[in-house]
Short mmCIF file of all heavy atoms in Angstrom, two decimals:
data_model
loop_
_atom_site.label_atom_id
_atom_site.label_comp_id
_atom_site.label_asym_id
_atom_site.label_seq_id
_atom_site.Cartn_x
_atom_site.Cartn_y
_atom_site.Cartn_z
N PHE A 435 90.04 101.34 66.89
CA PHE A 435 89.35 101.63 68.15
C PHE A 435 87.90 101.95 67.83
O PHE A 435 87.62 102.90 67.09
CB PHE A 435 89.98 102.86 68.84
CG PHE A 435 91.22 102.53 69.60
CD1 PHE A 435 92.42 102.31 68.93
CD2 PHE A 435 91.21 102.44 70.99
CE1 PHE A 435 93.58 102.00 69.63
CE2 PHE A 435 92.37 102.13 71.70
CZ PHE A 435 93.55 101.90 71.01
N ILE A 436 86.98 101.16 68.39
CA ILE A 436 85.56 101.44 68.21
C ILE A 436 85.10 102.27 69.40
O ILE A 436 85.06 101.79 70.53
CB ILE A 436 84.75 100.12 68.12
CG1 ILE A 436 85.24 99.25 66.96
CG2 ILE A 436 83.25 100.42 67.98
CD1 ILE A 436 84.96 99.80 65.57
N GLY A 437 84.77 103.53 69.14
CA GLY A 437 84.42 104.46 70.23
C GLY A 437 85.66 105.27 70.57
O GLY A 437 86.68 104.73 71.00
N ALA A 438 85.57 106.58 70.33
CA ALA A 438 86.75 107.44 70.52
C ALA A 438 86.52 108.37 71.72
O ALA A 438 86.68 109.58 71.62
CB ALA A 438 87.03 108.24 69.25
N GLY A 439 86.15 107.78 72.84
CA GLY A 439 85.91 108.56 74.05
C GLY A 439 87.16 108.73 74.89
O GLY A 439 88.28 108.66 74.37
N ASN A 440 86.95 108.93 76.18
CA ASN A 440 88.07 109.22 77.09
C ASN A 440 89.09 108.10 77.17
O ASN A 440 90.29 108.34 77.09
CB ASN A 440 87.52 109.45 78.51
CG ASN A 440 86.64 110.66 78.55
OD1 ASN A 440 86.95 111.67 77.92
ND2 ASN A 440 85.53 110.57 79.27
N MET A 441 88.61 106.87 77.35
CA MET A 441 89.54 105.75 77.51
C MET A 441 90.29 105.48 76.22
O MET A 441 91.50 105.22 76.23
CB MET A 441 88.80 104.49 77.98
CG MET A 441 88.39 104.52 79.42
SD MET A 441 89.74 104.84 80.57
CE MET A 441 90.38 103.22 80.84
N ALA A 442 89.57 105.52 75.10
CA ALA A 442 90.24 105.28 73.81
C ALA A 442 91.33 106.32 73.60
O ALA A 442 92.46 105.98 73.21
CB ALA A 442 89.21 105.33 72.68
N GLU A 443 91.02 107.58 73.88
CA GLU A 443 92.04 108.63 73.70
C GLU A 443 93.24 108.37 74.59
O GLU A 443 94.39 108.52 74.16
CB GLU A 443 91.46 110.02 73.99
CG GLU A 443 92.55 111.07 73.82
CD GLU A 443 92.09 112.51 73.97
OE1 GLU A 443 90.91 112.74 74.28
OE2 GLU A 443 92.94 113.40 73.77
N ILE A 445 94.42 105.57 75.73
CA ILE A 445 95.23 104.44 75.25
C ILE A 445 95.98 104.84 73.97
O ILE A 445 97.17 104.55 73.82
CB ILE A 445 94.36 103.19 75.03
CG1 ILE A 445 93.73 102.75 76.36
CG2 ILE A 445 95.16 102.05 74.42
CD1 ILE A 445 92.63 101.70 76.24
N THR A 463 87.08 105.12 65.46
CA THR A 463 85.74 105.41 64.96
C THR A 463 84.89 106.01 66.08
O THR A 463 85.16 105.78 67.25
CB THR A 463 85.01 104.15 64.43
OG1 THR A 463 84.52 103.39 65.55
CG2 THR A 463 85.90 103.29 63.56
N ASP A 464 83.93 106.79 65.67
CA ASP A 464 83.00 107.38 66.64
C ASP A 464 81.79 107.90 65.88
O ASP A 464 81.82 108.00 64.64
CB ASP A 464 83.67 108.54 67.41
CG ASP A 464 83.03 108.80 68.76
OD1 ASP A 464 81.97 109.48 68.80
OD2 ASP A 464 83.55 108.32 69.78
N VAL A 465 80.73 108.20 66.62
CA VAL A 465 79.54 108.77 65.98
C VAL A 465 79.67 110.29 65.85
O VAL A 465 78.85 110.92 65.20
CB VAL A 465 78.25 108.42 66.76
CG1 VAL A 465 77.87 106.96 66.55
CG2 VAL A 465 78.39 108.71 68.25
N ARG A 466 80.70 110.87 66.46
CA ARG A 466 80.85 112.33 66.45
C ARG A 466 82.04 112.75 65.57
O ARG A 466 83.20 112.64 65.98
CB ARG A 466 81.09 112.84 67.87
CG ARG A 466 79.91 112.60 68.82
CD ARG A 466 80.23 113.03 70.22
NE ARG A 466 81.28 112.22 70.82
CZ ARG A 466 82.06 112.60 71.81
NH1 ARG A 466 81.95 113.82 72.29
NH2 ARG A 466 82.97 111.79 72.31
N GLU A 468 83.22 115.63 64.84
CA GLU A 468 84.06 116.69 65.41
C GLU A 468 85.07 116.13 66.41
O GLU A 468 86.20 116.60 66.51
CB GLU A 468 83.22 117.83 66.01
CG GLU A 468 82.41 117.52 67.26
CD GLU A 468 81.16 116.65 67.06
OE1 GLU A 468 80.87 116.27 65.91
OE2 GLU A 468 80.49 116.35 68.06
N ARG A 469 84.67 115.11 67.11
CA ARG A 469 85.57 114.43 68.05
C ARG A 469 86.71 113.76 67.28
O ARG A 469 87.87 113.80 67.67
CB ARG A 469 84.76 113.39 68.84
CG ARG A 469 85.56 112.44 69.70
CD ARG A 469 86.22 113.13 70.87
NE ARG A 469 86.92 112.17 71.72
CZ ARG A 469 87.93 112.51 72.53
NH1 ARG A 469 88.34 113.76 72.59
NH2 ARG A 469 88.50 111.61 73.27
N SER A 482 87.24 107.34 61.26
CA SER A 482 86.07 107.06 60.41
C SER A 482 84.82 107.07 61.28
O SER A 482 84.88 106.75 62.47
CB SER A 482 86.24 105.68 59.77
OG SER A 482 85.06 105.36 59.05
N THR A 483 83.71 107.43 60.66
CA THR A 483 82.43 107.33 61.38
C THR A 483 81.76 106.00 61.05
O THR A 483 80.64 105.73 61.49
CB THR A 483 81.47 108.48 60.99
OG1 THR A 483 81.39 108.53 59.57
CG2 THR A 483 81.92 109.81 61.55
N ASP A 484 82.45 105.17 60.28
CA ASP A 484 81.88 103.90 59.84
C ASP A 484 82.63 102.73 60.49
O ASP A 484 83.80 102.48 60.18
CB ASP A 484 82.00 103.84 58.31
CG ASP A 484 81.39 102.58 57.74
OD1 ASP A 484 80.93 101.72 58.53
OD2 ASP A 484 81.39 102.44 56.50
N ASN A 485 81.95 102.01 61.36
CA ASN A 485 82.60 100.91 62.09
C ASN A 485 83.01 99.74 61.18
O ASN A 485 83.76 98.86 61.61
CB ASN A 485 81.69 100.39 63.20
CG ASN A 485 81.59 101.38 64.34
OD1 ASN A 485 82.44 102.25 64.49
ND2 ASN A 485 80.55 101.25 65.15
N LEU A 496 87.51 97.47 71.57
CA LEU A 496 86.15 97.95 71.82
C LEU A 496 86.15 98.93 72.98
O LEU A 496 86.46 98.56 74.11
CB LEU A 496 85.24 96.76 72.15
CG LEU A 496 85.21 95.64 71.10
CD1 LEU A 496 84.45 94.43 71.65
CD2 LEU A 496 84.59 96.15 69.81
N ALA A 497 85.79 100.19 72.70
CA ALA A 497 85.84 101.21 73.75
C ALA A 497 84.58 102.06 73.76
O ALA A 497 84.63 103.26 74.07
CB ALA A 497 87.08 102.09 73.56
N VAL A 498 83.44 101.44 73.41
CA VAL A 498 82.16 102.15 73.57
C VAL A 498 81.57 101.77 74.92
O VAL A 498 82.01 100.82 75.56
CB VAL A 498 81.15 101.80 72.45
CG1 VAL A 498 81.57 102.41 71.13
CG2 VAL A 498 80.93 100.30 72.33
N LYS A 499 80.57 102.52 75.34
CA LYS A 499 79.91 102.22 76.61
C LYS A 499 79.19 100.86 76.52
O LYS A 499 78.68 100.51 75.45
CB LYS A 499 78.86 103.31 76.92
CG LYS A 499 79.48 104.65 77.28
CD LYS A 499 79.92 104.69 78.72
CE LYS A 499 80.27 106.10 79.14
NZ LYS A 499 81.42 106.12 80.06
N PRO A 500 79.12 100.14 77.62
CA PRO A 500 78.49 98.81 77.59
C PRO A 500 77.06 98.83 77.03
O PRO A 500 76.67 97.90 76.33
CB PRO A 500 78.48 98.41 79.07
CG PRO A 500 79.61 99.17 79.68
CD PRO A 500 79.69 100.47 78.93
N GLN A 501 76.30 99.89 77.29
CA GLN A 501 74.89 99.94 76.85
C GLN A 501 74.74 99.86 75.34
O GLN A 501 73.71 99.40 74.86
CB GLN A 501 74.20 101.24 77.31
CG GLN A 501 74.29 101.55 78.78
CD GLN A 501 75.55 102.31 79.15
OE1 GLN A 501 76.60 101.70 79.30
NE2 GLN A 501 75.47 103.62 79.30
N VAL A 502 75.73 100.35 74.59
CA VAL A 502 75.59 100.33 73.12
C VAL A 502 76.34 99.17 72.47
O VAL A 502 76.30 98.99 71.26
CB VAL A 502 76.05 101.68 72.48
CG1 VAL A 502 75.21 102.83 73.00
CG2 VAL A 502 77.53 101.94 72.70
N MET A 503 77.04 98.39 73.31
CA MET A 503 77.94 97.37 72.77
C MET A 503 77.23 96.35 71.88
O MET A 503 77.73 96.01 70.80
CB MET A 503 78.66 96.66 73.92
CG MET A 503 79.77 95.75 73.48
SD MET A 503 81.12 96.62 72.67
CE MET A 503 82.08 97.12 74.09
N ASP A 505 74.54 96.49 70.01
CA ASP A 505 74.20 97.01 68.68
C ASP A 505 75.46 97.23 67.84
O ASP A 505 75.50 96.96 66.65
CB ASP A 505 73.44 98.34 68.80
CG ASP A 505 71.99 98.09 69.24
OD1 ASP A 505 71.53 96.94 69.08
OD2 ASP A 505 71.36 99.04 69.74
N VAL A 506 76.51 97.76 68.50
CA VAL A 506 77.76 98.04 67.79
C VAL A 506 78.36 96.74 67.24
O VAL A 506 78.74 96.66 66.07
CB VAL A 506 78.76 98.76 68.72
CG1 VAL A 506 80.16 98.77 68.13
CG2 VAL A 506 78.29 100.19 68.99
N SER A 522 88.42 93.98 74.48
CA SER A 522 87.33 94.80 75.01
C SER A 522 87.71 95.41 76.35
O SER A 522 88.17 94.70 77.24
CB SER A 522 86.07 93.95 75.18
OG SER A 522 85.10 94.69 75.92
N ILE A 523 87.49 96.72 76.48
CA ILE A 523 87.71 97.35 77.79
C ILE A 523 86.37 97.67 78.46
O ILE A 523 86.33 98.32 79.50
CB ILE A 523 88.56 98.65 77.68
CG1 ILE A 523 87.86 99.71 76.84
CG2 ILE A 523 89.94 98.36 77.15
CD1 ILE A 523 88.46 101.12 77.01
N ALA A 524 85.28 97.21 77.86
CA ALA A 524 83.95 97.54 78.40
C ALA A 524 83.70 96.80 79.71
O ALA A 524 83.95 95.60 79.82
CB ALA A 524 82.88 97.17 77.39
N ALA A 525 83.18 97.53 80.68
CA ALA A 525 82.88 96.93 81.98
C ALA A 525 81.69 95.98 81.85
O ALA A 525 80.72 96.28 81.15
CB ALA A 525 82.56 98.03 82.98
N GLY A 526 81.78 94.83 82.50
CA GLY A 526 80.61 93.97 82.67
C GLY A 526 80.17 93.14 81.48
O GLY A 526 79.08 92.58 81.52
N ILE A 527 80.97 93.06 80.43
CA ILE A 527 80.54 92.23 79.30
C ILE A 527 81.50 91.05 79.13
O ILE A 527 82.64 91.21 78.69
CB ILE A 527 80.46 93.03 77.98
CG1 ILE A 527 79.67 94.32 78.20
CG2 ILE A 527 79.81 92.17 76.90
CD1 ILE A 527 79.40 95.09 76.94
N VAL A 545 89.58 93.29 79.11
CA VAL A 545 90.45 94.11 79.95
C VAL A 545 89.62 94.96 80.91
O VAL A 545 88.60 95.51 80.52
CB VAL A 545 91.30 95.08 79.07
CG1 VAL A 545 92.20 95.95 79.93
CG2 VAL A 545 92.11 94.30 78.04
N MET A 546 90.04 95.01 82.15
CA MET A 546 89.45 95.97 83.08
C MET A 546 90.52 97.02 83.39
O MET A 546 91.44 96.79 84.17
CB MET A 546 89.00 95.25 84.36
CG MET A 546 88.48 96.17 85.48
SD MET A 546 87.35 97.48 84.98
CE MET A 546 86.00 96.55 84.27
N PRO A 547 90.41 98.18 82.74
CA PRO A 547 91.39 99.24 83.00
C PRO A 547 90.90 100.11 84.15
O PRO A 547 89.87 99.82 84.75
CB PRO A 547 91.37 100.02 81.69
CG PRO A 547 89.97 99.87 81.17
CD PRO A 547 89.41 98.59 81.75
N ASN A 548 91.63 101.13 84.48
CA ASN A 548 91.07 102.13 85.39
C ASN A 548 91.45 103.53 84.93
O ASN A 548 92.29 103.69 84.04
CB ASN A 548 91.40 101.84 86.87
CG ASN A 548 92.87 101.98 87.21
OD1 ASN A 548 93.67 102.39 86.38
ND2 ASN A 548 93.21 101.63 88.42
N THR A 549 90.79 104.53 85.50
CA THR A 549 90.91 105.87 84.93
C THR A 549 92.29 106.52 85.05
O THR A 549 92.60 107.39 84.24
CB THR A 549 89.84 106.83 85.51
OG1 THR A 549 89.88 106.72 86.93
CG2 THR A 549 88.48 106.48 85.00
N PRO A 550 93.17 106.14 85.99
CA PRO A 550 94.51 106.73 85.94
C PRO A 550 95.25 106.45 84.62
O PRO A 550 96.29 107.05 84.35
CB PRO A 550 95.21 106.12 87.16
CG PRO A 550 94.09 105.90 88.14
CD PRO A 550 92.95 105.43 87.27
N LEU A 552 94.32 107.59 82.07
CA LEU A 552 94.23 108.90 81.42
C LEU A 552 95.53 109.70 81.59
O LEU A 552 95.82 110.61 80.81
CB LEU A 552 93.05 109.72 81.97
CG LEU A 552 91.66 109.10 81.80
CD1 LEU A 552 90.60 109.90 82.54
CD2 LEU A 552 91.29 109.00 80.32
N ALA A 557 96.06 100.80 85.89
CA ALA A 557 96.30 99.43 86.33
C ALA A 557 95.23 98.59 85.62
O ALA A 557 94.05 98.73 85.90
CB ALA A 557 96.15 99.30 87.84
N VAL A 595 88.36 92.19 90.36
CA VAL A 595 89.30 93.23 89.90
C VAL A 595 88.55 94.56 89.67
O VAL A 595 89.06 95.63 89.98
CB VAL A 595 89.99 92.75 88.59
CG1 VAL A 595 90.59 93.92 87.86
CG2 VAL A 595 91.03 91.71 88.91
N THR A 596 87.33 94.44 89.15
CA THR A 596 86.52 95.63 88.93
C THR A 596 86.32 96.36 90.26
O THR A 596 86.44 97.58 90.35
CB THR A 596 85.15 95.24 88.33
OG1 THR A 596 85.38 94.53 87.13
CG2 THR A 596 84.28 96.46 88.05
N SER A 599 90.54 97.46 91.54
CA SER A 599 91.27 98.51 90.83
C SER A 599 90.40 99.29 89.84
O SER A 599 90.68 100.45 89.56
CB SER A 599 92.47 97.92 90.10
OG SER A 599 92.09 96.82 89.30
N GLY A 600 89.33 98.65 89.31
CA GLY A 600 88.46 99.36 88.37
C GLY A 600 87.77 100.52 89.04
O GLY A 600 87.87 101.67 88.61
N SER A 601 87.07 100.24 90.14
CA SER A 601 86.39 101.29 90.90
C SER A 601 87.33 101.95 91.91
O SER A 601 86.98 102.97 92.50
CB SER A 601 85.19 100.71 91.65
OG SER A 601 84.29 100.11 90.76
N GLY A 602 88.48 101.34 92.12
CA GLY A 602 89.42 101.76 93.17
C GLY A 602 89.77 103.24 93.23
O GLY A 602 89.82 103.81 94.33
N PRO A 603 90.03 103.88 92.08
CA PRO A 603 90.39 105.30 92.16
C PRO A 603 89.33 106.12 92.92
O PRO A 603 89.67 107.05 93.65
CB PRO A 603 90.48 105.73 90.69
CG PRO A 603 90.92 104.47 89.99
CD PRO A 603 90.18 103.35 90.70
N1 LIG B 1874 87.38 100.47 84.75
C1 LIG B 1874 87.30 101.72 84.46
O1 LIG B 1874 87.65 102.58 85.26
C2 LIG B 1874 86.86 102.16 83.17
C3 LIG B 1874 87.03 103.47 82.99
C4 LIG B 1874 86.59 103.99 81.84
C5 LIG B 1874 86.03 103.20 80.90
N2 LIG B 1874 85.87 101.90 81.05
C6 LIG B 1874 85.20 101.20 79.93
O2 LIG B 1874 85.72 101.79 78.77
C7 LIG B 1874 84.68 101.98 77.82
C8 LIG B 1874 84.73 103.40 77.29
O3 LIG B 1874 84.48 104.34 78.33
P1 LIG B 1874 84.69 105.91 78.15
O4 LIG B 1874 84.61 106.52 79.49
O5 LIG B 1874 85.89 106.16 77.29
O6 LIG B 1874 83.35 106.24 77.33
P2 LIG B 1874 83.02 107.50 76.44
O7 LIG B 1874 83.93 108.64 76.73
O8 LIG B 1874 81.54 107.69 76.48
O9 LIG B 1874 83.43 106.97 74.97
C9 LIG B 1874 82.64 106.17 74.16
C10 LIG B 1874 82.59 106.84 72.78
O10 LIG B 1874 81.94 105.97 71.87
C11 LIG B 1874 81.07 106.75 71.08
N3 LIG B 1874 80.04 105.92 70.45
C12 LIG B 1874 78.73 105.74 70.81
N4 LIG B 1874 78.13 104.91 69.94
C13 LIG B 1874 79.07 104.54 69.02
C14 LIG B 1874 79.05 103.72 67.86
N5 LIG B 1874 77.93 103.09 67.47
N6 LIG B 1874 80.19 103.57 67.16
C15 LIG B 1874 81.32 104.19 67.53
N7 LIG B 1874 81.40 105.01 68.60
C16 LIG B 1874 80.29 105.18 69.35
C17 LIG B 1874 80.53 107.76 72.06
O11 LIG B 1874 79.90 108.85 71.41
P3 LIG B 1874 78.66 109.60 72.22
O12 LIG B 1874 79.29 110.19 73.45
O13 LIG B 1874 78.17 110.59 71.25
O14 LIG B 1874 77.67 108.52 72.55
C18 LIG B 1874 81.81 108.16 72.78
O15 LIG B 1874 82.53 109.13 72.08
C19 LIG B 1874 83.36 101.64 78.51
O16 LIG B 1874 82.86 100.44 77.99
C20 LIG B 1874 83.71 101.48 79.97
O17 LIG B 1874 82.99 100.45 80.57
C21 LIG B 1874 86.30 101.33 82.19
#
Side-chain angles (χ1 to χ4, degrees):
F435 280 76
I436 302 291
N440 296 320
M441 286 305 274
E443 178 175 3
I445 298 168
T463 77
D464 204 279
V465 286
R466 296 176 294 156
E468 68 286 0
R469 171 69 176 156
S482 175
T483 51
D484 182 357
N485 288 340
L496 304 171
V498 289
K499 290 279 192 217
Q501 306 87 279
V502 299
M503 190 64 85
D505 285 341
V506 166
S522 170
I523 62 165
I527 310 187
V545 179
M546 174 45 60
N548 67 6
T549 50
L552 300 172
V595 162
T596 303
S599 52
S601 302

